[in-house]
Amino acid sequence: ANERSSFPLPAHALPPIRPSSMASSQGNGPRTRSQRSGRTQRAAAGASTSETVTRQKRTPAGRTATMEHANKLRSFRVRLYSTLVLVASFAAIIYAGHVPLMTLIFSIQTVMVKELFQLAREAQQEHKLPGFRAQQWYFYLVAAFWVYVRFIKNNLIVEITSSAALARLLGTLIRRHTLISYSLYAAGFVAFVLTLKRGSYTYQFGQFAWTHMILMTVFLPSSFFVSNIFEGIIWFLLPCALVIVNDIAAYLAGFFFGRTPLIKLSPKKTWEGFIGGFFGTVLASWYLSRWMAQSPWLTCPRADLSIWQPMECTEPPETFQLRDFGAIDIVGIFAEPKFIQRLEYIEALLPESLQGRLDAFSVHASPMQFHAVALAVFASAIAPFGGFFASGFKRGFNIKDFGSSIPGHGGMTDRMDCQIVMALFSYIYYHAFTDRSIVTVGSVVSMVLKLRPIDQLDLLLRVANVLEASGLLPIEVVDSIAAVKSSRLESPPLGR
């Protein structure tokens, strides 16, 4: 070792002298072995850390984690942007009025039907049958013609009777609408039978049943929203909003408190989320309905098919007016008058102290707020099972979503599963508890069209006499109508 240390090294083999080393040797003396080893260990540790990070990024697992994170961010951005576009578009359509909303519902139904038709085609490995898909869409359009004209018949009559040319062109359509609809369906049925092919019977009849199931369980229930719209947009907007509020409230409650599984079809659903969504929706319905009831645009019914036109009602209907409610008054919103009389009789038998408490109880609200609570109970307790039904359906077909119609959200059917159940209930509820039976021009003309032509002339003459007595119609017009009626009575009877 001494010999090796005393052996002179060449100049190029000597390590470079750093300034810190020179200062150390000149000032503080040479470094100790422990100082040199500590510095070496720190340098080695830093190098190993950087190498570890680099290796993690270069390994397949590291690259996968990075890609998953980027995909999640990209999916979140797409979902956020599509949600903002949908909300803005929906608000603009609501502002446009009843007819654009009806068009929106028809568009949504068309997308849902397309997704379900496509699902059956993929699931059953469709045979090459020319024109077979056109038959499915034919049945869908016939069903849409029957349902939509039936729901907007009174509104359509107002538009048609505003012009004699329109009345001549479309009068038969209104009077014979049901017969025309069935004739169109019968034509499609005959065409289906004539196109049956040997070797494809099972598939064709399966598709025929599939088409009718879609029309009965998806298209028809969701169409009841159309009727609700023309009774007041609030009867469409509020039920839809309550389903969305319940979805958000249930998610938040389940996220923070969820422990107990609710149903096997949706493993992420919990009892805590279900119960939290129930109370959150009921609470939100009370204030949301009161806020919506302040707008005549949302509460007033539409009697025609005009767009961008102001509503005719000068004040909101009685259902949306604030007043004080006692305990029995609240029950009277939902119960029959005979039941209320029994309650009043029972109240008279109670002790005076308890009667005083009942008489002192009062709530300042509108009837719509109590109706909103009833709608919220259904939206929280029953409507979610529409989503569970859809989940089981997708599991049966081994798919994640019904489609990709909405970027970041899946298919249109995925977003409307609970709304379909809510649409039918809100229609039934409205006509059971809040139908005001308002007499409109369309409803009166619809009844007049059911009379014989000679009876229609008689009615016209009677109305003309009333208007002439009020100074609203010249006597010459009344005489002309009377002359026409007399001539018709002398001629052979008119048909219907």
Side-chain angles (χ1 to χ4, degrees), residues 27 210 278 299 317 336 405 430 453:
W210 176 257
F278 178 89
T299 58
E336 296 293 332
S405 305
Y430 171 81

Side-chain angles (χ1 to χ4, degrees), residues 135 138-139 183-196 208:
Q135 290 183 9
Y138 175 82
F139 283 120
S183 300
L184 293 173
Y185 176 82
F189 177 78
V190 172
F192 167 77
V193 174
L194 294 177
T195 55
L196 290 174
F208 184 81

Side-chain angles (χ1 to χ4, degrees), residues 461 464-465 467-481:
L461 179 59
N465 289 330
L467 295 178
E468 193 275 331
S470 302
L472 299 176
L473 200 65
I475 186 62
E476 294 80 9
V477 176
V478 179
D479 294 338
S480 300
I481 296 174

